[in-house]
Amino acid sequence: MESSLSSSSSSSSGRFKLCDQLELQEFQDKYIIRSLDPPNPGFSICRRHGNIESFHAETISGSPSKISKIYGVAGTIRLIAGTYILVITSRKEVGFFLGFPVFKIMSMKFLSCNEALITFASQEKRDEAYLMNLLRIVESTPGLYYSYETDITLNLQRRYKLAEGWTAKPLWKQADPRFVWNRNLLEELIECKLDQFILPLLQGSFGAAKLKLKEKSATITLVSRRCTRRLGTRMWRRGANLDGDAANFIETEQLLELEGLKSSLLQVRGSIPLLWEQIVDLSYKPRLRIINHEQTSKVVERHFHDLLQRYGNTVAVDLTDNHGDEGQLSAAYAAETEKFSNVRYVSFDFHHICGSSNFENLKILYDQISEEFRDQGYFMIDEEGNILKEQIGIVRSNCIDCLDRTNVCQSYLAQKSLTEQLQRIGVLSSGECISTFTEENIKFRTLWAEQGDEISLEYAGTHALKGDLVSVICRYGKQTFGGIIKDGISAVSRYYLNNFQDGIRQDALDLVSGHYSVNRNGPSPFQLNGFESLSYLPVASALVIGGLTLSSITIQQAGRNAQQYLSTVIWAGVTAGALAIVKTNGRQFCSRPRLCGLL
């Protein structure tokens, strides 16, 4: 592989900038991706072997069969047959991060760069077909954001703690690797030193709103950064791994910009950092199981050590139920956190105290943690970049999924902090709060509700439940009927996706994140894992539905003669037997991951 492309793409201010006007040229033997801005740097990738080479415009010979505009290269991946390159085919500008444009990916496409498949054995072809299906799932990954001019994976406080001149480095070197969704896909481009084309992607959410407060204009930006260390779907990535990385771990930053001042509040969420699972089995709410492991205490210690190093003292707010399976998990979590002097565990049974609509009862929780929350503070700088205040701690919130209840809680704390920041700046008096301004408060709440929806889509596959509690509770004071209907639809959708779709979606995530590496010389992972068990589902469904149908028909005629009565009994027995088999073997009928284990 060649590696001669210069990485010097800094502006006159010394800030690194990526190539943003790109052209894809398709030749019979190669793809060429080049910048439309002089001096037109670019690279080619062989369509037979996947080899990457940098080039200069004057060396191109021949005419491409097709030319199209693309907006970035997300990386490459090697499967059994060879290399595939992922390009961004459409985007949407969604706002600005500290003055720089931010884009959301609307569509992506994998381009095949190999011809080896024709020589493969039948099992290899089947494996490659399954892996290519995973790539199609990856193409539709939701919630991916990027900027050509600045790194959006770093929060404001951390940016100001870095050494002078760091913005002149390539974006991939600036980025926090925890939040680079395509870090695994970028390895080959990094090896080839194609810095001007190496585009770090953030998965999470990005939104901004303009507020008018007493004739003063302010901008609120909400950025959620999803960690890739334990990336996965709702039911197949629970708890923590042995390194202490929690599932659905997300750093959320609320930025306020007003008259040159900038302030930032950080909160984090993440699955309860114990070893536990909740395997789907066709039941609506599968049982939780705590995994007894000699490393459990070390797992929790590693998790909180990482938080303490990055964010400072931690308040762990646990929103799970205090009874049933959730109660057992909560009790185990509480027992482990007692071992740390700089972690305060706070249990708040959200369902019991707040019910379905008593949002104002979150004040009970706030009263419990308000002193620490205010002491942790927020980060603030003036128009010259002087640091006025630093955030010295973090609130870590969780429920079971770290979605619905967690989002309601985080939005409440964010509103409290925003009010305090505006009071310090002098926009609000000591007796005023953001909720005083009804329309601006609705914008604020809507921002948080949309963020919750996007995070939920990435983890659970549906919009968030209790979303209207976040967005319109300030106006109505209770959950709306429309919100109840929406929650019902989302709950049913979650059930279907968790049981019948998330196994393959988990495989796609494990593949793209590098948790599973394709080994052409190794055994087929699909033969080993017996994935054909899913094919039993249509048979079982047909038996149950057919049995119910025939039972209902024959029962209407059962009184006419003994033969009809006997038919009714037989079909009812078949139906009951099929239902019993499905219930007993529920896990076998669910979509399961085939590439990686749970931990």
Side-chain angles (χ1 to χ4, degrees):
M1 293 182 184
E2 299 290 336
S3 59
S4 59
L5 188 65
S6 170
S7 63
S8 59
S9 184
S10 300
S11 66
S12 58
S13 64
R15 180 178 295 277
F16 188 91
K17 184 178 184 296
L18 291 166
C19 297
D20 58 350
Q21 299 291 328
L22 300 178
E23 183 177 78
L24 171 66
Q25 300 179 356
E26 300 183 31
F27 293 82
Q28 185 175 358
D29 62 337
K30 64 190 172 187
Y31 294 108
I32 286 181
I33 295 172
R34 68 175 191 138
S35 171
L36 297 179
D37 295 325
N40 307 111
F43 66 95
S44 66
I45 181 165
C46 177
R47 295 181 72 164
R48 293 189 177 92
H49 308 294
N51 297 332
I52 295 176
E53 296 181 353
S54 58
F55 76 95
H56 298 284
E58 62 270 15
T59 64
I60 301 175
S61 60
S63 299
S65 59
K66 183 180 178 181
I67 299 177
S68 54
K69 188 174 183 179
I70 61 173
Y71 300 94
V73 180
T76 64
I77 190 168
R78 289 187 178 271
L79 302 185
I80 300 170
T83 300
Y84 298 80
I85 184 167
L86 182 59
V87 298
I88 300 169
T89 52
S90 66
R91 70 183 188 190
K92 175 185 178 183
E93 186 174 319
V94 291
F96 291 83
F97 183 71
L98 301 174
F100 299 100
V102 174
F103 300 89
K104 181 177 184 178
I105 293 178
M106 305 308 292
S107 65
M108 301 185 291
K109 183 180 181 181
F110 274 103
L111 306 176
S112 175
C113 305
N114 61 79
E115 292 183 353
L117 192 58
I118 57 176
T119 65
F120 281 5
S122 58
Q123 182 60 47
E124 289 177 317
K125 289 182 178 179
R126 286 195 296 271
D127 290 354
E128 184 77 0
Y130 181 79
L131 293 171
M132 289 174 66
N133 187 43
L134 299 185
L135 295 188
R136 284 189 283 272
I137 295 173
V138 171
E139 288 175 344
S140 59
T141 300
L144 295 178
Y145 297 87
Y146 67 92
S147 174
Y148 298 108
E149 301 180 62
T150 192
D151 172 53
I152 61 174
T153 67
L154 293 179
N155 60 66
L156 184 66
Q157 180 160 322
R158 188 173 175 193
R159 293 165 77 94
Y160 275 81
K161 295 291 185 179
L162 292 175
E164 186 178 353
W166 69 274
T167 56
K169 294 181 178 181
L171 285 191
W172 70 268
K173 290 185 178 180
Q174 298 179 31
D176 187 333
R178 295 180 301 160
F179 303 129
V180 179
W181 173 84
N182 58 330
R183 182 63 180 81
N184 177 62
L185 301 180
L186 295 176
E187 288 184 356
E188 202 159 4
L189 300 180
I190 291 172
E191 182 182 335
C192 294
K193 300 182 180 178
L194 299 172
D195 290 341
Q196 291 172 260
F197 298 91
I198 299 175
L199 183 61
L201 302 180
L202 168 74
Q203 188 183 36
S205 72
F206 183 94
K210 299 283 188 183
L211 305 183
K212 194 76 171 178
L213 302 167
K214 294 184 176 179
E215 305 305 318
K216 293 189 176 182
S217 296
T219 300
I220 296 288
T221 304
L222 195 61
V223 187
S224 284
R225 306 174 175 104
R226 192 179 187 204
C227 184
T228 62
R229 290 179 175 175
R230 189 158 169 74
L231 197 61
T233 57
R234 178 174 173 245
M235 289 300 191
W236 295 112
R237 285 297 177 268
R238 293 294 211 190
N241 60 20
L242 293 176
D243 294 325
D245 303 316
N248 205 32
F249 183 86
I250 295 163
E251 175 191 274
T252 297
E253 179 176 24
Q254 179 177 282
L255 279 167
L256 170 66
E257 297 175 80
L258 192 152
E259 296 184 339
L261 285 166
K262 297 182 181 70
S263 61
S264 161
L265 172 73
L266 293 178
Q267 297 185 75
V268 294
R269 69 177 78 187
S271 192
I272 291 177
L274 302 175
L275 303 176
W276 61 282
E277 64 183 16
Q278 190 176 17
I279 305 299
V280 290
D281 58 3
L282 296 183
S283 61
Y284 180 74
K285 191 174 183 180
R287 294 294 303 271
L288 301 175
R289 186 177 79 88
I290 301 174
I291 300 172
N292 293 319
H293 197 285
E294 60 183 7
Q295 287 285 310
T296 292
S297 293
K298 285 291 184 183
V299 166
V300 182
E301 180 183 344
R302 289 166 189 147
H303 178 78
F304 280 106
H305 177 75
D306 185 59
L307 291 186
L308 293 166
Q309 290 294 310
R310 294 180 186 277
Y311 303 106
N313 289 354
T314 304
V315 176
V317 174
D318 182 7
L319 303 169
T320 55
D321 297 346
N322 288 336
H323 60 276
D325 288 351
E326 287 191 20
Q328 294 179 24
L329 187 60
S330 178
Y333 184 29
E336 291 293 339
T337 55
E338 287 178 358
K339 302 172 184 177
F340 308 106
S341 60
N342 38 19
V343 175
R344 183 192 171 198
Y345 172 84
V346 177
S347 176
F348 183 79
D349 190 331
F350 185 97
H351 284 148
H352 176 71
I353 299 172
C354 295
S356 61
S357 61
N358 295 321
F359 183 79
E360 65 277 2
N361 285 352
L362 279 172
K363 184 179 183 302
I364 299 171
L365 169 64
Y366 184 73
D367 289 342
Q368 289 181 269
I369 66 171
S370 59
E371 184 175 348
E372 286 117 320
F373 185 60
R374 285 194 294 266
D375 288 344
Q376 288 176 355
Y378 46 84
F379 182 74
M380 179 176 283
I381 56 173
D382 63 19
E383 51 268 36
E384 281 82 36
N386 300 312
I387 297 175
L388 305 178
K389 186 176 179 61
E390 294 187 45
Q391 183 170 343
I392 60 172
I394 199 83
V395 173
R396 182 203 191 278
S397 306
N398 73 268
C399 49
I400 286 299
D401 299 327
C402 303
L403 295 176
D404 313 318
R405 289 172 276 182
T406 299
N407 207 57
V408 173
C409 175
Q410 285 196 339
S411 67
Y412 187 90
L413 296 179
Q415 184 191 54
K416 291 289 186 182
S417 180
L418 178 60
T419 294
E420 186 178 335
Q421 293 167 43
L422 291 170
Q423 288 174 347
R424 173 172 180 151
I425 295 170
V427 175
L428 301 182
S429 67
S430 60
E432 292 178 314
C433 62
I434 184 65
S435 59
T436 306
F437 305 86
T438 304
E439 294 303 318
E440 309 311 304
N441 194 32
I442 290 173
K443 292 178 186 177
F444 171 81
R445 295 285 190 179
T446 300
L447 200 62
W448 270 91
E450 290 173 348
Q451 179 256 186
D453 277 342
E454 197 154 19
I455 294 299
S456 183
L457 281 168
E458 293 158 14
Y459 189 49
T462 72
H463 291 293
L465 308 184
K466 302 179 177 69
D468 63 322
L469 280 176
V470 177
S471 62
V472 299
I473 197 85
C474 54
R475 177 178 268 181
Y476 299 109
K478 60 182 180 179
Q479 189 169 31
T480 63
F481 179 74
I484 294 172
I485 297 297
K486 181 182 175 183
D487 283 359
I489 294 172
S490 292
V492 172
S493 298
R494 279 187 187 181
Y495 172 82
Y496 173 78
L497 292 171
N498 294 163
N499 283 276
F500 305 120
Q501 294 291 322
D502 279 358
I504 189 170
R505 200 159 66 97
Q506 183 63 54
D507 280 343
L509 293 171
D510 287 333
L511 181 65
V512 75
S513 64
H515 293 145
Y516 176 82
S517 297
V518 175
N519 180 8
R520 180 179 176 182
N521 298 319
S524 167
F526 313 120
Q527 286 183 325
L528 292 176
N529 292 345
F531 65 90
E532 68 278 1
S533 62
L534 186 62
S535 62
Y536 299 147
L537 183 61
V539 177
S541 300
L543 283 173
V544 172
I545 295 172
L548 287 171
T549 302
L550 290 170
S551 295
S552 63
I553 292 173
T554 56
I555 200 170
Q556 296 175 7
Q557 303 172 351
R560 298 181 182 178
N561 54 60
Q563 185 177 359
Q564 291 291 345
Y565 179 78
L566 182 60
S567 296
T568 301
V569 172
I570 291 173
W571 282 114
V574 169
T575 304
L579 284 169
I581 291 171
V582 170
K583 186 173 188 238
T584 304
N585 302 278
R587 292 189 179 187
Q588 295 301 317
F589 296 106
C590 296
S591 171
R592 300 177 63 86
R594 309 168 194 177
L595 299 183
C596 295
L598 294 180
L599 295 179

